[in-house]
Amino acid sequence: MATKTSWPHLSTSETIRQRAKSLSQSHRQMISDLVGIRIERGMTQEDVALMLGVTRQRVSRMEQYDSNPRLETIRRYANAVGARIESRVTIDEWHENQHEATTAP
């Protein structure tokens, strides 16, 4: 059971799990989008591997559904296939609502 704290920026464990799931889905979608761009441009995994200086097997592992490549690796892959990655960080709405609820008169 989650306990209440005096820190309004913290959330319940269920909210944290849901946020983690959403972040994971976004990450997988980004990898999927990069693979789609690679294929659309007619590039093979071998082509990308040569540009990155790694093996085709390493590129293949990165493209797998359950992979978790480092951000720097994702950036290098994006550069190799001629793609851009746009990052944005926002405050979770749940946090905003909780903060407003705890500070309301």
Side-chain angles (χ1 to χ4, degrees):
M1 181 173 156
T3 59
K4 286 192 168 196
T5 68
S6 60
W7 303 308
H9 65 284
L10 297 179
S11 55
T12 66
S13 58
E14 181 57 29
T15 302
I16 291 170
R17 278 192 291 277
Q18 290 298 321
R19 187 178 316 112
K21 182 178 178 181
S22 175
L23 289 166
S24 179
Q25 288 170 340
S26 295
H27 179 79
R28 283 193 302 271
Q29 185 61 53
M30 178 176 52
I31 299 297
S32 178
D33 291 347
L34 286 169
V35 172
I37 290 170
R38 174 183 66 75
I39 292 168
E40 182 180 305
R41 293 183 183 243
M43 297 176 74
T44 65
Q45 289 178 341
E46 183 69 30
D47 294 332
V48 174
L50 288 170
M51 294 179 80
L52 298 180
V54 300
T55 65
R56 186 206 55 78
Q57 290 80 7
R58 186 160 175 202
V59 172
S60 175
R61 282 192 305 272
M62 184 194 140
E63 291 182 354
Q64 291 176 5
Y65 176 79
D66 59 349
S67 71
N68 190 18
R70 294 182 356 204
L71 184 55
E72 178 59 29
T73 303
I74 294 169
R75 287 182 189 137
R76 291 178 62 225
Y77 183 106
N79 193 31
V81 299
R84 287 188 133 166
I85 296 174
E86 297 178 4
S87 301
R88 184 177 61 146
V89 177
T90 60
I91 294 175
D92 186 16
E93 289 180 26
W94 187 90
H95 284 283
E96 285 296 304
N97 294 337
Q98 285 299 106
H99 181 69
E100 289 171 8
T102 59
T103 59

